[in-house]
Amino acid sequence: MSSNKKQALLREASHQVIAGGSAGLVEICLMHPLDVVKTRFQLQTGTSDPNSYRSLGHCFRTIFGSEGVYGFYKGILPPILAETPKRAVKFLTFEQYKKALSLTSMSPGLALSVAGLGSGLTEAVVVNPFEVVKVRLQANRDGFKEQPSTFAQARLIIRADGFGLRGLNKGLTATLGRHGVFNMIYFGFYFNVKDAIPASQDPRLEFLRKFAIGLASGTISSCVNIPFDVAKSRIQGPQPVPGEIKYRSCFQSMALVYREEGYLALYKGLVPKIMRLGPGGAVMLLVYEYVSGWLQKNW
């Protein structure tokens, strides 16, 4: 391979990494409070617990009243530490899978969805240890200053259960399902619909067109993948009875939630999830496209 071709490939990959990392950082800083609320709802096993949140508004008021404004940012450091490499991996691998699949006989529309699935599975492997730490921190209802730090929580998990599927990689199958399904629909829907709807010459209308499609793709993806998200939270969060592992694996956890709490329990946390990943999904794609476009023109 010639040096010019190598430089072009490195330049392209660096653009994807920087644009993807920027997209992730902006999204997490704007939307993290809704992720905390979503996780709290998913960890609830029933309404008999006197500490149960009765509604979205009640959850916001309770967290603010007992834990302060910082309570909404519990567990933010793991996603921030993970978000740049996570989103960089998401967009970089999506572009590479898309390029590889363009060489096959697969239809362009299907290739976009398969590339999204591949990027989601790759992203899940990178992000899962950070998710384990984040969920443990978000489950903690103590005041912000009273809970262990991110690194102290990680050390506690490693000391107790190590790095494997009982420790920092707990719930990996559920995370693979969550990210694989989400990215498959997210990228497939966004790029297929964006290509089908004509672009506008007006920059403001073009921004709104892309934002609306991104909002729809993030919302639909969130609705489809949330059972995996609930299972992941139950597996990675504190177990109902200390010392007894109730939620062991992805599909076992889904079946258990369905049997004990009903079908709707598999959609716990859906409203805050949509509130976060609907607009958050649009923000990510827009930041990625605009940063990528700026880098191509200026670097």
Side-chain angles (χ1 to χ4, degrees), residues 203-222:
R204 288 172 296 182
L205 290 177
E206 178 61 7
F207 176 86
L208 289 173
R209 180 183 79 98
K210 289 180 177 178
F211 186 87
I213 300 168
L215 178 68
S217 61
T219 300
I220 294 167
S221 304
S222 299

Side-chain angles (χ1 to χ4, degrees), residues 27 87 182 214 218-219 222 272-282 284:
E27 190 271 340
R87 301 308 188 193
F182 183 91
T219 300
S222 299
K273 183 180 173 75
I274 288 173
M275 287 172 66
R276 181 201 166 185
L277 288 174
M284 270 196 297

Side-chain angles (χ1 to χ4, degrees), residues 38-46 135-136 138-141 230 232-238 240 247 268:
K38 178 210 72 172
T39 302
R40 292 287 179 88
F41 273 109
Q42 290 177 343
L43 290 171
Q44 289 188 169
T45 57
V135 169
R136 291 287 182 90
Q138 290 179 340
N140 189 325
R141 297 195 184 193
V230 172
K232 184 190 80 70
S233 293
R234 294 292 178 93
I235 294 165
Q236 293 176 345
Y247 303 103
K268 282 187 174 180

